[in-house]
Amino acid sequence: MAYLFLLGAITAEVIGTSLLKATDGFTRLWPTLGLAVAYLSAFGLLSLAVKDIPVGVAYAVWSGLGTAAIVAIGAAFLGEPLSVTKVVGTALVIAGVVVLNLGGAH
């Protein structure tokens, strides 16, 4: 169940981060409220996940998968360029999460 909470936290954080540009510096009400709800949900779900998952592992998975998802969303929907450097950097973040989990961190 803890990993479902973690997956929900990642999803909520990615939704919130995706809305960041639409807030226009927090001057647009609905995107700003959506962002706030998404981030509050993300942290609430993350707090439930760390009851059973070591916080270092949970945070590494949360930030690594969230980063990869945001890079993909930025390239696919927000018109952000996707360079070799960005792809390699994202792959290294994911590799770090894998190594952390394989290294017996839990």
Side-chain angles (χ1 to χ4, degrees):
M1 189 67 178
Y3 280 95
L4 288 177
F5 288 137
L6 183 57
L7 183 61
I10 293 165
T11 302
E13 188 268 336
V14 167
I15 290 168
T17 302
S18 297
L19 287 170
L20 223 120
K21 195 171 190 176
T23 69
D24 197 26
F26 301 115
T27 60
R28 296 182 60 217
L29 178 62
W30 295 113
T32 299
L33 288 176
L35 176 140
V37 168
Y39 278 160
L40 287 171
S41 299
F43 283 108
L45 289 165
L46 184 61
S47 73
L48 294 173
V50 298
K51 287 182 176 182
D52 294 317
I53 303 170
V55 71
V57 172
Y59 189 74
V61 172
W62 183 58
S63 60
L65 293 180
T67 298
I70 288 300
V71 168
I73 289 168
F77 301 108
L78 301 176
E80 295 178 1
L82 192 60
S83 65
V84 171
T85 304
K86 196 179 281 188
V87 171
V88 169
T90 303
L92 288 171
V93 169
I94 293 169
V97 170
V98 170
V99 169
L100 181 65
N101 280 290
L102 291 177
H106 48 61

Coordinates of all heavy atoms in Angstrom, one line a residue:
M1 N 0.8 -1.2 0.0 CA 0.0 0.0 0.0 C 0.9 1.3 0.0 O 0.5 2.3 -0.6 CB -0.9 0.0 1.2 CG -2.0 1.0 1.2 SD -3.1 0.7 -0.1 CE -4.3 2.0 0.1
A2 N 2.0 1.2 0.7 CA 2.9 2.4 0.8 C 3.3 2.8 -0.6 O 3.4 4.0 -0.9 CB 4.1 2.1 1.7
Y3 N 3.6 1.8 -1.5 CA 4.1 2.2 -2.8 C 2.9 2.8 -3.7 O 3.2 3.6 -4.6 CB 4.7 1.0 -3.6 CG 6.2 0.9 -3.1 CD1 6.5 0.0 -2.0 CD2 7.2 1.6 -3.6 CE1 7.8 -0.1 -1.6 CE2 8.5 1.5 -3.2 CZ 8.8 0.6 -2.2 OH 10.1 0.5 -1.7
L4 N 1.7 2.5 -3.4 CA 0.6 3.1 -4.0 C 0.5 4.6 -3.6 O 0.2 5.5 -4.4 CB -0.7 2.4 -3.8 CG -0.9 1.1 -4.4 CD1 -2.2 0.4 -4.0 CD2 -0.8 1.2 -6.0
F5 N 0.7 4.8 -2.3 CA 0.7 6.2 -1.8 C 1.8 7.0 -2.5 O 1.7 8.1 -2.8 CB 0.9 6.2 -0.3 CG -0.3 5.8 0.5 CD1 -0.1 5.0 1.6 CD2 -1.6 6.2 0.2 CE1 -1.2 4.6 2.4 CE2 -2.7 5.9 1.0 CZ -2.5 5.0 2.1
L6 N 3.0 6.3 -2.6 CA 4.1 7.0 -3.3 C 3.8 7.3 -4.7 O 4.1 8.4 -5.2 CB 5.4 6.1 -3.2 CG 6.7 6.7 -3.7 CD1 7.0 8.0 -3.1 CD2 7.8 5.7 -3.6
L7 N 3.2 6.4 -5.4 CA 2.8 6.6 -6.8 C 1.8 7.8 -6.9 O 1.9 8.6 -7.8 CB 2.2 5.4 -7.4 CG 1.8 5.4 -8.9 CD1 3.0 5.8 -9.8 CD2 1.2 4.1 -9.3
G8 N 0.9 7.8 -5.9 CA -0.1 8.9 -5.9 C 0.6 10.3 -5.6 O 0.3 11.3 -6.2
A9 N 1.6 10.2 -4.7 CA 2.4 11.5 -4.4 C 3.1 11.9 -5.7 O 3.2 13.1 -5.9 CB 3.3 11.2 -3.3
I10 N 3.7 11.0 -6.4 CA 4.5 11.4 -7.6 C 3.5 12.0 -8.6 O 3.8 13.0 -9.2 CB 5.2 10.2 -8.2 CG1 6.3 9.7 -7.3 CG2 5.7 10.5 -9.6 CD1 6.8 8.3 -7.6
T11 N 2.3 11.3 -8.8 CA 1.4 11.8 -9.8 C 0.9 13.2 -9.4 O 0.8 14.1 -10.2 CB 0.2 10.9 -9.8 OG1 0.6 9.6 -10.2 CG2 -0.9 11.3 -10.8
A12 N 0.6 13.4 -8.1 CA 0.1 14.8 -7.7 C 1.2 15.8 -7.8 O 0.9 17.0 -8.3 CB -0.4 14.7 -6.2
E13 N 2.4 15.5 -7.5 CA 3.5 16.4 -7.7 C 3.7 16.8 -9.2 O 4.0 17.9 -9.5 CB 4.8 15.8 -7.1 CG 6.0 16.8 -7.0 CD 6.8 16.8 -8.2 OE1 6.9 15.7 -8.9 OE2 7.5 17.8 -8.5
V14 N 3.6 15.8 -10.0 CA 3.8 16.1 -11.5 C 2.7 17.0 -12.0 O 2.9 17.9 -12.8 CB 3.9 14.7 -12.2 CG1 3.8 14.9 -13.7 CG2 5.2 14.0 -11.9
I15 N 1.5 16.7 -11.5 CA 0.3 17.6 -11.9 C 0.6 19.0 -11.4 O 0.4 20.0 -12.2 CB -1.0 17.0 -11.4 CG1 -1.4 15.7 -12.1 CG2 -2.1 18.1 -11.5 CD1 -2.5 15.0 -11.4
G16 N 1.0 19.2 -10.2 CA 1.3 20.5 -9.6 C 2.4 21.2 -10.4 O 2.2 22.4 -10.8
T17 N 3.4 20.5 -10.7 CA 4.6 21.1 -11.4 C 4.2 21.5 -12.8 O 4.6 22.5 -13.3 CB 5.8 20.2 -11.4 OG1 6.1 19.9 -10.0 CG2 7.0 20.8 -12.1
S18 N 3.3 20.6 -13.4 CA 2.8 20.9 -14.8 C 2.0 22.2 -14.8 O 1.9 22.9 -15.8 CB 2.0 19.7 -15.3 OG 2.8 18.6 -15.4
L19 N 1.3 22.5 -13.7 CA 0.5 23.7 -13.6 C 1.3 25.0 -13.3 O 0.8 26.1 -13.5 CB -0.6 23.5 -12.6 CG -1.7 22.6 -12.9 CD1 -2.6 22.3 -11.7 CD2 -2.6 23.1 -14.0
L20 N 2.5 24.8 -13.0 CA 3.3 26.0 -12.5 C 3.4 27.1 -13.6 O 3.1 28.2 -13.3 CB 4.7 25.5 -12.2 CG 5.2 26.2 -10.9 CD1 5.6 25.1 -9.9 CD2 6.4 27.0 -11.2
K21 N 3.6 26.7 -14.8 CA 3.7 27.7 -15.9 C 2.4 28.4 -16.1 O 2.3 29.6 -16.3 CB 4.2 27.0 -17.2 CG 4.7 28.0 -18.2 CD 5.3 27.2 -19.4 CE 6.0 28.2 -20.3 NZ 6.7 27.4 -21.4
A22 N 1.3 27.6 -16.0 CA -0.1 28.2 -16.2 C -0.5 29.2 -15.1 O -1.4 30.0 -15.3 CB -1.1 27.1 -16.3
T23 N 0.2 29.2 -13.9 CA -0.2 30.1 -12.9 C 0.2 31.5 -13.2 O -0.3 32.5 -12.6 CB 0.5 29.7 -11.5 OG1 1.9 29.9 -11.6 CG2 0.1 28.3 -11.1
D24 N 1.1 31.7 -14.2 CA 1.7 33.0 -14.6 C 2.1 33.8 -13.4 O 1.7 34.9 -13.2 CB 0.6 33.7 -15.4 CG 1.2 34.9 -16.2 OD1 2.3 34.8 -16.6 OD2 0.4 35.9 -16.5
G25 N 3.0 33.2 -12.6 CA 3.6 33.8 -11.5 C 2.6 33.9 -10.3 O 2.6 34.9 -9.6
F26 N 1.7 33.0 -10.2 CA 0.6 32.9 -9.2 C -0.4 34.1 -9.4 O -1.0 34.5 -8.4 CB 1.2 32.9 -7.8 CG 2.1 31.7 -7.6 CD1 3.4 31.9 -7.3 CD2 1.6 30.4 -7.6 CE1 4.2 30.8 -7.1 CE2 2.4 29.3 -7.4 CZ 3.7 29.5 -7.1
T27 N -0.5 34.6 -10.6 CA -1.5 35.6 -10.9 C -2.8 35.1 -11.4 O -3.8 35.9 -11.5 CB -0.9 36.7 -11.9 OG1 -0.6 36.0 -13.1 CG2 0.3 37.3 -11.3
R28 N -2.9 33.8 -11.8 CA -4.1 33.2 -12.3 C -4.7 32.3 -11.2 O -4.0 31.4 -10.8 CB -3.8 32.5 -13.6 CG -3.4 33.5 -14.7 CD -3.1 32.8 -16.0 NE -4.3 32.2 -16.5 CZ -4.4 31.0 -17.1 NH1 -3.3 30.4 -17.4 NH2 -5.5 30.5 -17.5
L29 N -5.9 32.6 -10.8 CA -6.5 31.9 -9.7 C -6.6 30.4 -9.8 O -6.1 29.6 -9.0 CB -7.9 32.5 -9.4 CG -8.7 31.8 -8.2 CD1 -7.9 32.0 -6.9 CD2 -10.1 32.4 -8.1
W30 N -7.3 29.9 -10.9 CA -7.6 28.5 -11.0 C -6.3 27.6 -11.1 O -6.2 26.6 -10.4 CB -8.6 28.2 -12.0 CG -9.9 28.8 -11.7 CD1 -10.6 29.9 -12.3 CD2 -10.8 28.5 -10.5 NE1 -11.7 30.2 -11.6 CE2 -11.9 29.4 -10.5 CE3 -10.7 27.6 -9.5 CZ2 -12.9 29.3 -9.6 CZ3 -11.7 27.5 -8.6 CH2 -12.7 28.4 -8.6
P31 N -5.4 28.0 -12.0 CA -4.2 27.2 -12.0 C -3.4 27.2 -10.7 O -2.8 26.2 -10.2 CB -3.3 27.8 -13.1 CG -4.3 28.5 -14.0 CD -5.4 29.0 -13.0
T32 N -3.4 28.3 -10.0 CA -2.7 28.5 -8.7 C -3.4 27.6 -7.7 O -2.7 26.9 -6.9 CB -2.7 29.9 -8.2 OG1 -2.0 30.7 -9.2 CG2 -2.1 30.1 -6.9
L33 N -4.7 27.6 -7.6 CA -5.5 26.7 -6.7 C -5.2 25.2 -7.0 O -5.0 24.4 -6.1 CB -7.0 27.0 -6.7 CG -7.4 28.3 -6.0 CD1 -8.9 28.5 -6.2 CD2 -7.0 28.3 -4.6
G34 N -5.2 24.9 -8.3 CA -4.9 23.5 -8.7 C -3.5 23.1 -8.3 O -3.3 22.0 -7.8
L35 N -2.6 24.0 -8.5 CA -1.2 23.7 -8.0 C -1.1 23.5 -6.5 O -0.5 22.5 -6.1 CB -0.3 24.8 -8.4 CG 1.2 24.8 -8.0 CD1 2.1 25.2 -9.1 CD2 1.4 25.6 -6.8
A36 N -1.8 24.3 -5.8 CA -1.8 24.2 -4.3 C -2.4 22.9 -3.8 O -1.9 22.2 -3.0 CB -2.5 25.4 -3.7
V37 N -3.5 22.5 -4.4 CA -4.2 21.3 -4.1 C -3.3 20.1 -4.5 O -3.1 19.1 -3.7 CB -5.6 21.1 -4.8 CG1 -6.1 19.7 -4.7 CG2 -6.5 22.2 -4.2
A38 N -2.7 20.1 -5.6 CA -1.8 19.0 -6.1 C -0.6 18.9 -5.1 O -0.3 17.8 -4.7 CB -1.4 19.3 -7.5
Y39 N 0.0 20.0 -4.8 CA 1.2 19.9 -3.9 C 0.8 19.4 -2.5 O 1.6 18.6 -1.9 CB 2.0 21.2 -3.9 CG 2.9 21.4 -5.0 CD1 3.3 22.7 -5.3 CD2 3.4 20.4 -5.8 CE1 4.2 23.0 -6.4 CE2 4.2 20.6 -6.9 CZ 4.6 21.9 -7.2 OH 5.5 22.1 -8.2
L40 N -0.3 19.9 -2.0 CA -0.7 19.5 -0.7 C -1.0 18.0 -0.7 O -0.7 17.3 0.2 CB -1.9 20.3 -0.2 CG -1.7 21.7 0.3 CD1 -3.0 22.5 0.5 CD2 -0.8 21.7 1.5
S41 N -1.7 17.5 -1.8 CA -1.9 16.1 -1.9 C -0.7 15.3 -2.0 O -0.5 14.3 -1.4 CB -2.8 15.9 -3.2 OG -4.0 16.5 -3.1
A42 N 0.3 15.8 -2.8 CA 1.6 15.1 -2.9 C 2.3 14.9 -1.6 O 2.7 13.8 -1.3 CB 2.5 15.9 -3.9
F43 N 2.4 16.0 -0.8 CA 3.0 15.9 0.5 C 2.3 15.0 1.5 O 2.8 14.3 2.3 CB 3.4 17.3 1.1 CG 4.5 17.9 0.4 CD1 4.4 19.0 -0.5 CD2 5.8 17.4 0.6 CE1 5.4 19.5 -1.1 CE2 6.9 18.0 -0.1 CZ 6.7 19.0 -0.9
G44 N 0.9 15.1 1.4 CA 0.1 14.3 2.3 C 0.3 12.8 2.0 O 0.5 12.0 2.9
L45 N 0.3 12.5 0.7 CA 0.5 11.1 0.3 C 1.9 10.6 0.5 O 2.2 9.5 0.9 CB 0.2 10.9 -1.2 CG -1.3 11.0 -1.5 CD1 -1.6 11.2 -3.0 CD2 -2.1 9.8 -1.0
L46 N 2.9 11.5 0.3 CA 4.3 11.1 0.6 C 4.5 10.9 2.1 O 5.2 9.9 2.5 CB 5.2 12.3 0.2 CG 6.7 12.0 0.4 CD1 7.1 10.8 -0.5 CD2 7.5 13.2 -0.1
S47 N 3.8 11.6 3.0 CA 3.9 11.4 4.4 C 3.3 10.0 4.8 O 3.8 9.4 5.7 CB 3.2 12.5 5.2 OG 1.8 12.4 5.1
L48 N 2.3 9.6 4.1 CA 1.7 8.2 4.3 C 2.7 7.2 3.8 O 2.8 6.1 4.4 CB 0.4 8.1 3.6 CG -0.8 9.0 4.2 CD1 -2.0 8.9 3.3 CD2 -1.1 8.6 5.6
A49 N 3.3 7.4 2.7 CA 4.3 6.4 2.1 C 5.5 6.2 3.0 O 5.9 5.1 3.2 CB 4.7 6.9 0.7
V50 N 6.0 7.3 3.7 CA 7.2 7.1 4.5 C 6.9 6.4 5.8 O 7.9 6.2 6.6 CB 7.9 8.4 4.7 CG1 8.4 9.0 3.3 CG2 7.1 9.4 5.4
K51 N 5.7 6.1 6.1 CA 5.4 5.3 7.3 C 6.0 3.9 7.1 O 6.4 3.3 8.1 CB 3.9 5.2 7.5 CG 3.3 6.4 8.1 CD 1.8 6.2 8.3 CE 1.2 7.4 9.0 NZ -0.3 7.2 9.3
D52 N 6.0 3.4 5.9 CA 6.5 2.0 5.6 C 7.8 2.0 4.7 O 8.4 0.9 4.6 CB 5.4 1.2 5.0 CG 4.3 1.0 5.9 OD1 4.5 0.7 7.1 OD2 3.1 1.1 5.5
I53 N 8.0 3.0 4.0 CA 9.2 3.1 3.1 C 10.2 4.0 3.7 O 9.8 5.1 4.2 CB 8.8 3.6 1.7 CG1 7.7 2.8 1.1 CG2 10.0 3.7 0.8 CD1 7.1 3.4 -0.2
P54 N 11.5 3.6 3.8 CA 12.5 4.6 4.3 C 12.4 5.9 3.6 O 12.3 5.9 2.3 CB 13.8 3.9 4.1 CG 13.5 2.4 4.0 CD 12.1 2.4 3.4
V55 N 12.6 7.0 4.3 CA 12.4 8.3 3.7 C 13.4 8.6 2.6 O 13.0 9.2 1.6 CB 12.4 9.4 4.8 CG1 13.8 9.6 5.4 CG2 11.8 10.7 4.3
G56 N 14.6 8.1 2.7 CA 15.6 8.3 1.7 C 15.2 7.7 0.4 O 15.3 8.2 -0.7
V57 N 14.7 6.5 0.5 CA 14.3 5.7 -0.7 C 13.0 6.4 -1.3 O 12.9 6.6 -2.5 CB 14.0 4.2 -0.4 CG1 13.3 3.5 -1.5 CG2 15.3 3.5 0.1
A58 N 12.0 6.7 -0.4 CA 10.8 7.3 -0.9 C 11.1 8.6 -1.6 O 10.6 8.9 -2.7 CB 9.8 7.5 0.2
Y59 N 11.9 9.4 -1.0 CA 12.2 10.7 -1.6 C 13.0 10.6 -2.9 O 12.8 11.3 -3.9 CB 13.0 11.6 -0.7 CG 13.1 13.0 -1.2 CD1 12.0 13.9 -1.2 CD2 14.3 13.5 -1.7 CE1 12.1 15.2 -1.7 CE2 14.4 14.8 -2.2 CZ 13.3 15.6 -2.2 OH 13.4 16.9 -2.7
A60 N 13.9 9.6 -3.0 CA 14.7 9.4 -4.2 C 13.8 8.9 -5.4 O 13.9 9.4 -6.5 CB 15.8 8.3 -4.0
V61 N 12.9 8.0 -5.1 CA 11.9 7.5 -6.1 C 11.0 8.7 -6.5 O 10.7 8.9 -7.7 CB 11.1 6.3 -5.6 CG1 10.0 5.9 -6.5 CG2 12.1 5.1 -5.3
W62 N 10.5 9.4 -5.5 CA 9.6 10.5 -5.8 C 10.2 11.6 -6.6 O 9.7 12.0 -7.7 CB 9.1 11.1 -4.4 CG 8.2 12.2 -4.5 CD1 6.9 12.2 -5.0 CD2 8.3 13.5 -3.9 NE1 6.3 13.4 -4.8 CE2 7.1 14.2 -4.2 CE3 9.4 14.2 -3.3 CZ2 7.0 15.6 -3.8 CZ3 9.2 15.5 -2.9 CH2 8.0 16.2 -3.1
S63 N 11.4 12.0 -6.3 CA 12.1 13.1 -7.0 C 12.6 12.6 -8.4 O 12.5 13.3 -9.4 CB 13.2 13.7 -6.2 OG 14.2 12.7 -5.9
G64 N 13.1 11.3 -8.4 CA 13.6 10.8 -9.7 C 12.5 10.6 -10.7 O 12.7 11.0 -11.9
L65 N 11.5 9.9 -10.4 CA 10.4 9.6 -11.3 C 9.6 10.9 -11.6 O 9.2 11.1 -12.8 CB 9.4 8.6 -10.8 CG 10.0 7.2 -10.7 CD1 9.0 6.2 -10.1 CD2 10.6 6.7 -12.0
G66 N 9.5 11.8 -10.7 CA 8.9 13.1 -10.9 C 9.7 13.9 -11.9 O 9.1 14.5 -12.8
T67 N 11.0 13.9 -11.7 CA 11.9 14.7 -12.7 C 11.7 14.1 -14.1 O 11.6 14.9 -15.0 CB 13.3 14.6 -12.2 OG1 13.4 15.2 -10.9 CG2 14.3 15.3 -13.2
A68 N 11.8 12.8 -14.2 CA 11.7 12.2 -15.5 C 10.3 12.5 -16.2 O 10.3 12.8 -17.4 CB 11.9 10.7 -15.4
A69 N 9.3 12.4 -15.4 CA 7.9 12.7 -15.9 C 7.8 14.2 -16.4 O 7.3 14.5 -17.4 CB 6.9 12.4 -14.9
I70 N 8.4 15.1 -15.6 CA 8.3 16.5 -15.9 C 9.1 16.8 -17.2 O 8.7 17.6 -18.0 CB 8.7 17.4 -14.8 CG1 7.6 17.4 -13.7 CG2 9.0 18.8 -15.2 CD1 6.3 17.9 -14.1
V71 N 10.2 16.2 -17.3 CA 11.0 16.4 -18.6 C 10.2 15.9 -19.8 O 10.1 16.6 -20.8 CB 12.4 15.6 -18.5 CG1 13.1 15.5 -19.8 CG2 13.3 16.3 -17.5
A72 N 9.6 14.7 -19.7 CA 8.8 14.2 -20.8 C 7.6 15.1 -21.1 O 7.3 15.4 -22.2 CB 8.3 12.8 -20.4
I73 N 6.9 15.6 -20.0 CA 5.7 16.5 -20.2 C 6.1 17.8 -20.8 O 5.5 18.3 -21.7 CB 5.0 16.6 -18.8 CG1 4.3 15.3 -18.5 CG2 4.0 17.8 -18.9 CD1 3.7 15.3 -17.1
G74 N 7.3 18.3 -20.3 CA 7.8 19.6 -20.8 C 8.1 19.5 -22.3 O 7.7 20.4 -23.1
A75 N 8.7 18.4 -22.7 CA 9.0 18.2 -24.2 C 7.7 17.9 -25.0 O 7.6 18.5 -26.1 CB 10.0 17.0 -24.3
A76 N 6.8 17.1 -24.4 CA 5.6 16.7 -25.2 C 4.5 17.8 -25.3 O 3.9 18.0 -26.3 CB 5.0 15.4 -24.6
F77 N 4.4 18.5 -24.2 CA 3.2 19.4 -24.1 C 3.5 20.9 -23.9 O 2.7 21.8 -24.1 CB 2.2 19.0 -23.0 CG 1.7 17.6 -23.2 CD1 2.2 16.5 -22.4 CD2 0.8 17.3 -24.2 CE1 1.7 15.2 -22.6 CE2 0.4 16.0 -24.4 CZ 0.8 15.0 -23.6
L78 N 4.7 21.2 -23.4 CA 5.0 22.6 -23.0 C 6.0 23.2 -24.0 O 6.5 24.3 -23.8 CB 5.5 22.7 -21.6 CG 4.5 22.2 -20.5 CD1 5.2 22.2 -19.1 CD2 3.3 23.0 -20.5
G79 N 6.3 22.5 -25.1 CA 7.2 23.1 -26.1 C 8.7 23.3 -25.6 O 9.4 24.1 -26.2
E80 N 9.1 22.5 -24.6 CA 10.5 22.6 -24.2 C 11.4 21.7 -25.0 O 11.0 20.6 -25.3 CB 10.6 22.3 -22.7 CG 9.8 23.2 -21.8 CD 9.8 22.8 -20.3 OE1 10.4 21.8 -20.0 OE2 9.2 23.5 -19.5
P81 N 12.6 22.2 -25.3 CA 13.5 21.4 -26.2 C 14.0 20.2 -25.4 O 14.2 20.2 -24.2 CB 14.6 22.4 -26.5 CG 14.6 23.4 -25.4 CD 13.2 23.5 -25.0
L82 N 14.2 19.1 -26.1 CA 14.7 17.9 -25.5 C 16.1 17.6 -26.1 O 16.2 17.2 -27.3 CB 13.8 16.7 -25.8 CG 14.0 15.4 -25.0 CD1 13.9 15.7 -23.5 CD2 13.0 14.4 -25.5
S83 N 17.1 17.9 -25.3 CA 18.5 17.7 -25.8 C 19.1 16.4 -25.3 O 18.6 15.8 -24.4 CB 19.4 18.9 -25.3 OG 19.5 18.8 -23.9
V84 N 20.2 16.0 -25.9 CA 20.9 14.8 -25.5 C 21.3 15.0 -24.0 O 21.2 14.1 -23.2 CB 22.1 14.6 -26.4 CG1 23.0 13.5 -25.8 CG2 21.7 14.2 -27.8
T85 N 21.8 16.2 -23.7 CA 22.2 16.4 -22.3 C 21.1 16.2 -21.3 O 21.2 15.6 -20.3 CB 22.7 17.9 -22.2 OG1 23.8 18.1 -23.1 CG2 23.2 18.2 -20.8
K86 N 19.9 16.7 -21.7 CA 18.7 16.5 -20.8 C 18.3 15.1 -20.7 O 18.0 14.6 -19.6 CB 17.5 17.4 -21.4 CG 16.4 17.6 -20.4 CD 15.3 18.4 -21.0 CE 15.7 19.9 -20.9 NZ 14.5 20.7 -21.3
V87 N 18.4 14.3 -21.8 CA 18.0 12.9 -21.7 C 19.1 12.1 -20.9 O 18.7 11.3 -20.1 CB 18.0 12.3 -23.2 CG1 17.8 10.8 -23.1 CG2 16.8 13.0 -23.9
V88 N 20.4 12.4 -21.1 CA 21.4 11.7 -20.3 C 21.3 12.1 -18.8 O 21.4 11.2 -18.0 CB 22.8 12.1 -20.9 CG1 23.9 11.6 -19.9 CG2 23.0 11.5 -22.2
G89 N 21.0 13.3 -18.5 CA 20.9 13.7 -17.1 C 19.7 13.0 -16.5 O 19.8 12.6 -15.3
T90 N 18.6 13.0 -17.2 CA 17.4 12.3 -16.6 C 17.7 10.8 -16.4 O 17.3 10.2 -15.4 CB 16.2 12.5 -17.6 OG1 16.0 13.9 -17.7 CG2 15.0 11.8 -17.0
A91 N 18.4 10.2 -17.4 CA 18.8 8.8 -17.3 C 19.7 8.5 -16.1 O 19.5 7.5 -15.3 CB 19.4 8.3 -18.5
L92 N 20.6 9.5 -15.8 CA 21.4 9.3 -14.6 C 20.6 9.4 -13.3 O 20.9 8.7 -12.3 CB 22.5 10.4 -14.7 CG 23.6 10.2 -15.7 CD1 24.5 11.4 -15.8 CD2 24.4 8.9 -15.4
V93 N 19.7 10.3 -13.3 CA 18.8 10.4 -12.1 C 18.1 9.1 -11.9 O 18.0 8.6 -10.7 CB 17.8 11.6 -12.2 CG1 16.7 11.6 -11.2 CG2 18.5 12.9 -12.2
I94 N 17.5 8.6 -12.9 CA 16.8 7.3 -12.8 C 17.7 6.2 -12.4 O 17.4 5.3 -11.5 CB 16.1 6.9 -14.1 CG1 14.9 7.9 -14.3 CG2 15.5 5.5 -14.1 CD1 14.3 7.9 -15.7
A95 N 18.9 6.2 -13.0 CA 19.9 5.1 -12.6 C 20.3 5.3 -11.1 O 20.5 4.3 -10.4 CB 21.2 5.3 -13.4
G96 N 20.4 6.5 -10.6 CA 20.6 6.7 -9.2 C 19.6 6.1 -8.3 O 19.8 5.5 -7.3
V97 N 18.3 6.3 -8.7 CA 17.2 5.7 -7.9 C 17.3 4.2 -8.0 O 17.1 3.5 -6.9 CB 15.8 6.2 -8.5 CG1 14.7 5.5 -7.9 CG2 15.7 7.7 -8.3
V98 N 17.6 3.6 -9.1 CA 17.7 2.2 -9.2 C 18.8 1.6 -8.3 O 18.6 0.7 -7.6 CB 17.9 1.7 -10.7 CG1 18.2 0.3 -10.8 CG2 16.6 2.0 -11.5
V99 N 20.0 2.3 -8.4 CA 21.1 1.9 -7.6 C 20.8 2.0 -6.1 O 21.1 1.1 -5.3 CB 22.4 2.7 -7.9 CG1 23.5 2.4 -6.9 CG2 22.8 2.4 -9.3
L100 N 20.1 3.0 -5.7 CA 19.7 3.2 -4.3 C 18.8 2.0 -3.8 O 19.0 1.5 -2.8 CB 19.0 4.5 -4.1 CG 18.6 4.9 -2.7 CD1 19.7 5.0 -1.8 CD2 17.7 6.1 -2.7
N101 N 17.9 1.7 -4.7 CA 17.0 0.6 -4.3 C 17.6 -0.8 -4.4 O 17.4 -1.6 -3.5 CB 15.7 0.6 -5.2 CG 14.7 1.6 -4.8 OD1 14.1 1.5 -3.8 ND2 14.6 2.7 -5.6
L102 N 18.5 -1.0 -5.3 CA 19.2 -2.3 -5.4 C 20.3 -2.4 -4.3 O 20.6 -3.5 -4.0 CB 19.9 -2.4 -6.8 CG 18.9 -2.6 -8.0 CD1 19.8 -2.7 -9.3 CD2 18.1 -3.9 -7.8
G103 N 20.7 -1.3 -3.8 CA 21.8 -1.3 -2.8 C 21.3 -1.7 -1.4 O 22.0 -1.5 -0.4
G104 N 20.1 -2.1 -1.3 CA 19.6 -2.5 0.0 C 19.2 -1.4 0.9 O 19.2 -1.5 2.1
A105 N 18.8 -0.3 0.3 CA 18.4 0.9 1.1 C 17.1 0.6 1.9 O 16.7 1.4 2.7 CB 18.2 2.1 0.2
H106 N 16.3 -0.4 1.5 CA 15.1 -0.7 2.2 C 15.2 -2.1 2.7 O 15.0 -2.9 3.3 CB 13.9 -0.5 1.4 CG 13.9 -1.1 0.0 ND1 14.0 -2.4 -0.2 CD2 13.8 -0.5 -1.2 CE1 14.0 -2.6 -1.5 NE2 13.8 -1.5 -2.1

